[in-house]
Amino acid sequence: MCSFMIFHMSEGMRRRGIAEIYRVLKPQGRFLALDLTLPPQPVQRAIAKRLFGGMLQHDLQELSPLMKASGFSDVESGSARFRILGLSALGYVRGSAGKI
């Protein structure tokens, strides 16, 4: 599990980190990244940008191609049920290490 730190790394380090996570996971192991994300609803989106502005420069869906390139399967992303100040501003991306 990776929470609230993946976008504090350079893009190259993020790519190498995800590849290393895949390498060390046991077969069928799972990786979960949790971070702030913009809510899909327009009003909540505007409020989140105002409150969290600088912390919302990335989208967790940016990780999906990196994870697939590293070998992860069943990669999916979505919103976490947890709310911050009533906003659904947490998201996740996860995948399985479908290696033999």
Side-chain angles (χ1 to χ4, degrees), residues 48-58:
K49 280 184 178 181
R50 178 72 101 163
L51 291 174
F52 305 114
M55 294 185 283
L56 293 169
Q57 297 176 6
H58 294 277

Side-chain angles (χ1 to χ4, degrees), residues 1-2 17 35 56 62 89 97:
M1 185 169 116
C2 171
D35 211 324
L56 293 169
E62 293 173 37

Side-chain angles (χ1 to χ4, degrees), residues 65-76:
L66 298 177
M67 291 173 65
K68 289 176 184 175
S70 294
F72 283 96
S73 59
D74 302 323
V75 176
E76 63 180 20

